[in-house]
């Protein structure tokens, strides 16, 4: 009778298995029946002897000329383990090839169609019990690969040991590896077309990563989260609407504050320190610069490699959940920066993932950002669109994130973004709009709002593209809010000028009201304004010492009373003196100085008054919420306006004096009676000289600024003064 190795293993097949070149190893390895005979084939590199442990112990036969390859006749199909001996050692293990597939037919169908909303539930690495054995499943999309293997310390990074099973026409490869659990580092070894071995790849849907400079993915168990934020989740929708007060504190977790020894704070430390600080300052939201895993600190996270992995710099996925949970318990929403606009070219990343331009465009005119040396997603490919849309849902659902601020939207919308003629490919109609990116953004917004009511999406979009924050079913992109970059550029340009010249640039401060209702705007003073030689917010201000602080305080008074939600970058709230440096902590010692402490107190009070005063937020996106009282007094650089909520809610009048001259100024008021001075940026507690309107003002029937009532008010130098109707005062 012939030996099993002689009848069941073709030499070419055996060579392909041993060399790791077989495209379908599950058709060879494990239990198979051929010619009426059931046999087991196993490849165990380094083994000289192999025994099969089932109902009875069976000695396997080595396949001649192919070290490590064994066969053994079997009586029946049943669970088994393998015991190997070699190089003086003995080890026992479950054979990965004895286990059946994991993906279900519906998952296969949806993945193939590109409509699986939650691909992270089936792709990536998942600790689980499969067929009664503890281990982890792995699944990855690599449609043009000839063979894909999982490698790690557990198999000596040998791609021959754990090749994966191809799942039909989906392009997905999967396997179950027994004995693998939380904390295991792994990558994918991919054999591309023609048998070329690619650089080892991190998992595109991996939930964890090694600490830099290492870059392998890490198995993380994200099942069974423990949340205590049910009240917040039930109530957050109204807190994030266009009618709500929204004041966002933008944070780079690595440099907000450092622990002794210049160590970055952990998610758990931030859950205590950052959350308490932001809540105490009166912000409604924290916005985190990208926390998806990224290889280079200097990118600040804007060149992510692991879109599904919270960066290990601060801890594990469950520890990141704890940070979000702590924020919610303090009444703070959490937004994260989300980067679907580009990805880096690092060898372990998405670029030419299976040896072909899989996630990116093949043509560099469509697939490469010259400004950032990064690759651009092929938004028109259904699997790529599905990958990104599902990633948006992943953060919203697995981490209870309250919203996504989408980075660099303008770079996605236009095919000629930062390109010269001839360096870009027009759309099918010959135009510059990127139809595929537009469709992706609409899909993301429809999916996010449809699947997770109460969330919010925010676009960083710097052009005049129409309808960014208009619903998709009304022809828009579907974002909840849009950053008002025009407001930021115009007003900072004005503030940087010496007050003596401001009269010639007066309408840089008023121009935003010409388009204020065209979108749902958020006013940003972001990290981009305090880096790369732009100076800190304090350094932008003209004058010396006290005048710089006064200018900054007046500007913040203007910002918090201008229509639109608010965002300010960390450190700006206490007038950080130097530019932001991502490699070191903010200069918290500056709070020993009364001037810096005063700016911090001002921002805290602005947040409080803003949240307490519906007139300052209720109609942010409606023209009835704003009324100019004086928009044209360029000679005195004075601006005055009213903010209005509902008819029964107290109105607010704001007056700004942008010169270093104190003014006694007649100011029109939209209603008669007592108006309380609820904030004056020249107050001593903020670092000013207490010049103002103690006790408020009472109007008189003197027509002024187009109003029937007016009052003489004191406008301190370089100041913002906020008046609010007193209780019981008349309403108009």
């Amino acid at each position: 009778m012939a030996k099993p190795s002689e009848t069941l293993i073709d030499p070419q097949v055996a060579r392909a298995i041993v060399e790791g070149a077989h495209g379908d190893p599950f058709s060879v390895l494990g239990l198979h029946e051929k010619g009426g005979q059931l046999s087991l084939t196993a490849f165990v590199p380094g083994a000289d002897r192999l025994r099969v442990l089932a109902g009875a112990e069976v000695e396997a036969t080595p396949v001649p000329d192919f070290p490590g390859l064994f066969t053994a006749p079997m009586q029946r199909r049943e669970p088994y383990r393998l015991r190997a001996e070699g190089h003086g050692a003995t080890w026992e293990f479950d054979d990965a090839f004895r286990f059946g597939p994991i993906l279900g037919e519906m998952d296969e169908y949806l993945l193939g169609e590109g409509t699986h909303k939650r691909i992270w539930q089936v792709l990536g690495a998942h600790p689980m019990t499969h067929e009664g054995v503890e281990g982890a499943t792995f699944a990855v999309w690599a449609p043009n690969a000839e063979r894909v293997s999982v490698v790690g310390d557990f198999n000596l990074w040998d791609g021959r040991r754990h090749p994966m099973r191809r799942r039909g026409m989906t392009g997905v490869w999967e396997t179950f590896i027994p004995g693998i659990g939380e904390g295991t580092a792994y990558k994918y070894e991919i054999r591309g077309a023609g048998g070329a071995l690619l650089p080892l790849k991190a998992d595109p849907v991996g939930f964890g990563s090694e600490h830099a400079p290492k870059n392998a993915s890490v198995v993380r168990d994200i099942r069974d989260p423990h949340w205590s934020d049910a009240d917040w989740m039930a109530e957050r929708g109204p807190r994030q609407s266009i009618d709500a007060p929204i004041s966002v504190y933008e944070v780079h977790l690595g440099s907000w504050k450092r622990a002794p020894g210049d160590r970055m704070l952990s998610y758990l430390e931030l859950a205590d320190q950052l959350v308490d600080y932001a809540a105490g300052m009166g912000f409604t939201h924290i916005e985190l610069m990208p926390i998806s895993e990224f290889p280079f600190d200097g990118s600040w996270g804007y060149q992510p490699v692991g879109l599904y992995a919270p960066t290990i710099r601060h801890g594990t996925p469950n520890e990141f959940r704890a940070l979000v949970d702590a924020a919610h318990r303090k009444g703070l929403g959490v937004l994260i920066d989300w980067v679907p606009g580009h990805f880096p070219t690092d060898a372990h990343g998405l670029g030419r993932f299976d040896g072909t331009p899989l996630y990116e465009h093949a043509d560099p005119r469509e697939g490469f950002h010259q400004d950032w040396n990064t690759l651009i997603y092929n938004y028109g490919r259904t699997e790529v669109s599905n990958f990104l849309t599902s990633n948006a849902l992943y953060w919203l659902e697995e981490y209870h994130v309250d919203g996504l601020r989408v980075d660099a939207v303008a770079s996605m919308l236009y095919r000629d973004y930062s390109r010269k003629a001839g360096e870009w490919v027009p759309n099918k109609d010959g135009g510059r709009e990127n139809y595929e990116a537009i469709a992706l953004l609409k899909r993301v917004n429809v999916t996010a709002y449809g699947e997770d009511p109460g969330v919010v999406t925010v676009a960083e979009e710097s052009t005049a593209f129409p309808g960014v924050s208009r619903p998709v079913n009304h022809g828009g992109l579907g974002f909840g809010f849009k950053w008002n970059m025009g407001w930021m550029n115009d007003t900072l340009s004005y503030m940087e000028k010496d007050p003596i010249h401001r009269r010639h640039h007066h309408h840089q401060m008023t121009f935003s009201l010409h388009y204020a209702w065209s979108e749902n705007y958020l006013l940003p003073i972001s990290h981009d304004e305090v880096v790369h030689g732009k100076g800190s917010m304090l350094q932008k201000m003209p004058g010396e010492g006290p005048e710089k602080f006064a200018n900054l305080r007046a500007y913040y008074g203007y910002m918090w009373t201008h229509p639109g939600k608010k965002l300010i970058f960390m450190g700006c709230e206490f007038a950080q003196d130097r530019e932001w440096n991502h490699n070191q902590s903010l200069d918290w010692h500056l709070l020993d100085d009364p001037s810096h402490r005063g700016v911090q107190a001002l921002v805290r009070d602005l947040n409080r008054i803003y949240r307490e005063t519906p007139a300052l937020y209720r109609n942010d996106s409606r023209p009835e919420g704003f009324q100019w009282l004086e928009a044209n007094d360029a000679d005195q650089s004075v601006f005055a306006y009213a903010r209005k909520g509902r008819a029964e809610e107290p109105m607010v009048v704001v007056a700004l004096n942008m010169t270093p001259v104190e003014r006694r100024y007649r100011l029109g008021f939209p209603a008669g009676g007592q108006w309380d001075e609820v904030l004056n940026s020249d107050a001593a507690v903020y670092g000013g000289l207490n010049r103002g309107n103690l006790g408020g003002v009472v109007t008189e029937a003197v027509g002024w600024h187009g109003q029937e009532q007016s009052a003489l008010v004191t406008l301190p130098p370089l100041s913002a003064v906020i008046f609010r109707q007193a209780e019981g005062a008349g309403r108009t």
Side-chain angles (χ1 to χ4, degrees):
M1 181 176 177
K3 295 179 180 179
S5 60
E6 295 174 334
T7 59
L8 299 179
I9 301 293
D10 178 273
Q12 287 187 326
V13 172
R15 180 171 290 106
I17 292 292
V18 171
E19 293 179 355
H22 201 291
D24 186 15
F26 276 83
S27 67
V28 178
L29 300 174
L31 282 170
H32 293 280
E33 186 175 330
K34 186 175 182 181
Q37 181 180 347
L38 183 67
S39 68
L40 181 145
T41 304
F43 178 52
V44 187
D48 300 320
R49 182 183 182 190
L50 187 71
R51 281 170 285 180
V52 183
L53 310 179
E57 186 173 300
V58 178
E59 184 79 22
T61 303
V63 178
D65 302 322
F66 298 104
L69 193 62
F70 298 84
T71 65
M74 301 294 288
Q75 297 302 313
R76 59 184 177 274
R77 292 185 180 273
E78 60 183 331
Y80 63 89
R81 287 172 63 82
L82 300 176
R83 180 182 295 142
E85 297 179 16
H87 302 286
T90 300
W91 64 101
E92 188 176 309
F93 59 98
D94 287 294
D95 182 14
F97 293 93
R98 74 166 242 212
F99 297 92
I102 302 100
L103 284 178
E105 290 184 5
M106 183 55 69
D107 289 323
E108 269 198 273
Y109 175 78
L110 295 175
L111 287 169
E113 192 180 52
T115 57
H116 200 303
K117 292 180 180 177
R118 295 169 178 83
I119 66 170
W120 74 90
Q121 295 179 354
V122 290
L123 300 183
H126 296 265
M128 67 179 298
T129 301
H130 184 46
E131 297 181 13
V133 176
E134 292 290 324
T137 63
F138 297 83
V140 65
W141 179 56
N144 302 305
E146 289 189 356
R147 187 263 294 163
V148 182
S149 297
V150 186
V151 294
D153 287 340
F154 54 88
N155 63 12
L156 305 179
W157 298 89
D158 184 349
R160 301 174 302 161
R161 296 172 184 258
H162 288 106
M164 306 174 79
R165 174 192 286 117
R166 184 191 287 271
R167 292 305 302 266
M169 301 300 291
T170 64
V172 172
W173 300 74
E174 66 157 19
T175 193
F176 173 76
I177 303 180
I180 298 296
E182 172 83 18
T184 301
Y186 70 99
K187 283 187 175 180
Y188 294 115
E189 182 184 276
I190 300 176
R191 193 178 179 98
L197 277 181
L198 307 179
L200 296 182
K201 293 290 189 177
D203 192 342
V205 190
F207 305 140
S209 177
E210 291 182 299
H211 284 277
K214 294 182 178 181
N215 52 37
S217 297
V218 174
V219 176
R220 293 295 178 191
D221 191 345
I222 64 170
R223 298 172 295 180
D224 304 321
H226 301 290
W227 295 104
S228 56
D229 62 350
D231 289 345
W232 167 270
M233 295 295 284
E235 299 169 358
R236 69 178 179 179
R239 297 185 185 211
Q240 304 194 133
S241 74
I242 60 171
D243 296 329
I246 296 178
S247 180
V248 183
Y249 188 51
E250 185 190 27
V251 178
H252 177 261
L253 293 181
S255 60
W256 177 72
K257 189 179 287 186
R258 294 288 181 102
D262 202 33
R263 173 180 62 79
M264 293 184 189
L265 296 179
S266 69
Y267 291 128
L268 297 181
E269 290 169 318
L270 291 159
D272 178 23
Q273 299 177 41
L274 171 61
V275 167
D276 282 354
Y277 178 76
M281 285 294 296
F283 291 101
T284 65
H285 289 71
I286 301 169
E287 180 180 309
L288 306 180
M289 290 168 67
I291 51 89
S292 298
E293 195 58 76
F294 54 99
F296 176 49
D297 284 352
S299 78
W300 313 331
Y302 289 101
Q303 294 192 9
V305 163
L307 275 188
Y308 286 80
T311 178
I312 191 61
R313 288 168 175 82
H314 310 286
T316 65
N318 281 328
E319 289 168 339
F320 177 64
R321 280 171 167 155
L323 169 58
V324 177
D325 198 51
H328 288 171
R329 293 198 309 271
K330 284 280 188 177
L332 285 169
V334 178
L335 311 178
I336 62 169
D337 276 13
W338 187 55
V339 189
H342 59 133
F343 59 93
T345 59
D346 296 68
H348 69 284
L350 298 180
R352 297 191 68 85
F353 187 79
D354 63 359
T356 67
L358 188 62
Y359 287 88
E360 72 273 30
H361 288 276
D363 188 336
R365 294 177 300 166
E366 295 183 278
F368 187 75
H369 267 307
Q370 302 170 91
D371 291 353
W372 305 317
N373 292 321
T374 52
L375 300 171
I376 303 171
Y377 289 103
N378 182 352
Y379 303 113
R381 185 162 190 166
T382 56
E383 297 93 341
V384 175
S385 174
N386 197 30
F387 172 79
L388 292 170
T389 304
S390 191
N391 184 247
L393 272 189
Y394 169 75
W395 292 103
L396 297 172
E397 296 186 353
E398 292 293 342
Y399 298 99
H400 284 196
V401 164
D402 301 293
L404 306 173
R405 176 267 193 184
V406 183
D407 179 64
V409 170
S411 75
M412 300 173 65
L413 294 177
Y414 299 102
R415 289 173 165 266
D416 64 344
Y417 180 86
S418 195
R419 295 178 187 271
K420 299 174 184 175
E423 295 179 345
W424 58 283
V425 179
N427 61 34
K428 63 183 179 65
D429 296 319
R432 57 196 287 257
E433 294 81 9
N434 189 328
Y435 292 155
E436 295 79 14
I438 291 169
L440 169 76
L441 293 170
K442 290 180 177 181
R443 178 181 177 183
V444 166
N445 283 318
V446 168
T447 303
Y449 283 101
E451 296 292 319
D452 297 289
V455 302
V456 65
T457 60
V458 183
E460 184 214 10
E461 205 285 309
S462 55
T463 74
F465 191 93
V468 172
S469 58
R470 188 182 305 145
V472 171
N473 60 352
H474 286 81
L477 291 182
F479 285 93
F481 295 97
K482 172 181 172 174
W483 274 24
N484 194 335
M485 310 290 278
W487 170 89
M488 179 271 297
N489 285 317
D490 289 345
T491 61
L492 286 184
S493 173
Y494 175 90
M495 292 303 299
E496 289 171 357
K497 293 178 172 60
D498 189 292
I500 198 170
H501 301 304
R502 284 176 175 167
R503 67 180 63 191
H504 305 299
H505 305 274
H506 189 76
H507 289 294
Q508 284 187 295
M509 294 285 273
T510 66
F511 182 68
S512 57
L513 273 304
H514 289 283
Y515 60 84
W517 329 117
S518 61
E519 301 275 3
N520 301 328
Y521 280 118
L522 183 149
L523 312 181
I525 298 297
S526 76
H527 64 277
D528 277 330
E529 309 318 311
V530 293
V531 288
H532 299 323
K534 294 181 182 178
S536 67
M537 285 296 291
L538 187 64
Q539 289 172 350
K540 296 180 196 297
M541 300 297 121
E544 299 294 332
E547 282 193 351
K548 283 185 175 293
F549 283 96
N551 270 296
L552 185 59
R553 294 194 305 266
Y555 182 69
Y556 285 167
Y558 164 70
M559 174 179 173
W560 256 261
T561 56
H562 186 287
K565 312 310 179 186
K566 326 301 174 189
L567 178 143
I568 192 170
F569 183 57
M570 65 181 200
C572 297
E573 82 279 10
F574 62 80
Q576 169 100 359
D577 193 36
R578 61 170 175 83
E579 278 195 344
W580 169 56
N581 181 344
H582 70 274
N583 276 324
Q584 66 185 79
S585 168
L586 296 178
D587 295 331
W588 293 99
H589 63 274
L590 292 176
L591 290 173
D592 294 334
D593 183 319
S595 296
H596 292 276
R597 197 163 59 246
V599 174
Q600 183 192 50
L602 173 72
V603 171
R604 184 187 297 114
D605 283 350
L606 283 169
N607 275 332
R608 174 182 54 80
I609 291 168
Y610 172 61
R611 294 174 71 165
E612 292 175 351
T613 310
L616 290 174
Y617 62 78
R618 179 88 68 197
N619 289 315
D620 265 337
S621 300
R622 305 181 188 96
E624 56 264 35
F626 181 89
Q627 178 185 4
W628 276 117
L629 300 172
E630 177 54 82
N632 299 306
D633 192 353
D635 288 341
Q636 299 188 83
S637 296
V638 170
F639 306 85
Y641 46 89
R643 296 296 311 278
K644 303 176 181 181
R646 295 174 181 149
E648 69 276 11
E649 293 168 341
M651 289 183 284
V652 166
V653 165
V654 182
L656 310 173
N657 176 11
M658 291 303 186
T659 67
V661 178
E662 181 176 333
R663 302 192 185 282
R664 189 69 175 157
Y665 197 84
R666 180 163 289 279
L667 181 63
F669 283 82
Q674 172 75 28
W675 289 75
D676 297 330
E677 185 185 77
V678 293
L679 187 139
N680 184 332
S681 67
D682 190 56
V685 69
Y686 306 140
L689 296 177
N690 264 349
R691 295 159 290 190
N693 306 273
L694 186 63
V697 297
V698 177
T699 65
E700 53 186 332
V702 175
W704 209 261
H705 291 146
Q707 310 302 307
E708 295 180 359
Q709 296 281 323
S710 65
L712 281 172
V713 302
T714 297
L715 301 183
L718 300 171
S719 69
V721 181
I722 304 175
F723 297 96
R724 185 170 60 199
Q725 274 183 298
E727 287 296 323
R731 303 280 186 265
T732 61

